[in-house]
Amino acid sequence: MTQHRIMTILLFVCLSLCFEVAQSELKKDGDPCIYSADCGSRCCHRDSPKGSGKCVQKSMRGVRCYGPNNGDPCFHSHQCNSGCCYPGSSVYKAFCVPKHDKTRKCLGPNFEDFCYSSDQCHSGCCFNMLTTRNVPVCLTKSKGDKCFGADNGNHCALNTLCKSGCCQGPLYYRNYQSGICNPKAAENEECNLEPLGGLYNYCPCESGLVCEKDASRNMTYEIINDPNRRICKKTITTNN
């Protein structure tokens, strides 16, 4: 009986130590992460598909926690235990789902897999050809195909994937929208403070310029329909 009690106590101590070690290995807020399970807060967040994940508190407004389980938000199929990251209403809101059969199209690198940028595809071409649910797919690159790229003039799905940081659109295809990578707005060109519906109607200003309302023009109609629409102006500096 005494021996049994000693064994029970030792087992309890061992489990407690293992739990403490496991807890100490969990990452703290601000630490880089891959999955939400890596974090003490149980929330690994990314601001963009190419952005590195970091541990944050779940309670933060607008936070989406990325994990490998079904129902968790994702950007790539390899992030999911099921091997399938599937767009819900659009590629902007994809989730890990069970891969029921070979016909399900997941966000992946193979021919006819769903995609949002060409560097996701083995072929080097993510192309929107108004396919099922109007989501772009990986295709063999051929002349005339307008693949989703990062350079100015390329088709794009996200601002963060453009070198300029501006995917200007949107061109709507039911559940999906796409645009064109364009350079940032120069002085006196129209601009947006923030993207509308994911993409910019007008690109943000070049460095050294600010996006402000143009008092010399009557933009009442435009402001009502696009409250972020402004003009790029030079910053005013004063010499003391």
Side-chain angles (χ1 to χ4, degrees), residues 190-193 196 201-202 211-231:
E190 290 177 302
C191 56
N192 280 149
L193 294 171
L196 295 174
N201 284 344
Y202 299 90
C211 192
E212 295 182 345
K213 184 177 178 180
D214 187 1
S216 65
R217 294 177 57 190
N218 183 6
M219 297 180 66
T220 304
Y221 176 80
E222 289 87 343
I223 293 299
I224 291 173
N225 288 272
D226 185 351
N228 289 321
R229 189 174 176 180
R230 300 288 189 271
I231 297 294

Side-chain angles (χ1 to χ4, degrees), residues 8-130:
T8 303
I9 292 170
L10 288 174
L11 179 61
F12 177 78
V13 171
C14 182
L15 290 174
S16 299
L17 290 172
C18 290
F19 178 77
E20 288 181 7
V21 170
Q23 286 293 99
S24 64
E25 290 178 353
L26 292 175
K27 298 184 177 182
K28 299 177 182 178
D29 290 354
D31 288 346
C33 57
I34 298 175
Y35 299 124
S36 294
D38 298 333
C39 306
S41 64
R42 290 296 188 269
C43 184
C44 182
H45 175 73
R46 285 180 176 80
D47 292 320
S48 68
K50 290 188 175 180
S52 57
K54 67 177 180 179
C55 295
V56 297
Q57 290 296 318
K58 276 187 179 180
S59 57
M60 292 175 62
R61 187 177 180 182
V63 162
R64 299 175 75 205
C65 304
Y66 289 79
N69 300 315
N70 291 334
D72 288 339
C74 53
F75 283 121
H76 300 279
S77 289
H78 67 73
Q79 288 178 310
C80 304
N81 286 334
S82 65
C84 186
C85 182
Y86 185 76
S89 58
S90 73
V91 291
Y92 306 100
K93 295 179 180 179
F95 297 87
C96 293
V97 299
K99 191 170 184 180
H100 298 297
D101 52 55
K102 293 181 180 179
T103 62
R104 185 188 282 284
K105 292 183 179 181
C106 310
L107 284 169
N110 300 314
F111 184 74
E112 291 192 346
D113 281 346
F114 288 149
C115 53
Y116 51 76
S117 64
S118 292
D119 60 1
Q120 271 189 298
C121 305
H122 288 321
S123 65
C125 185
C126 180
F127 181 71
N128 186 22
M129 55 182 298
L130 304 182

Side-chain angles (χ1 to χ4, degrees), residues 175-200:
N175 293 333
Y176 181 74
Q177 60 181 357
S178 66
I180 304 293
C181 288
N182 280 325
K184 289 188 175 180
E187 186 177 5
N188 295 323
E189 288 185 348
E190 290 177 302
C191 56
N192 280 149
L193 294 171
E194 299 290 342
L196 295 174
L199 305 182
Y200 284 101

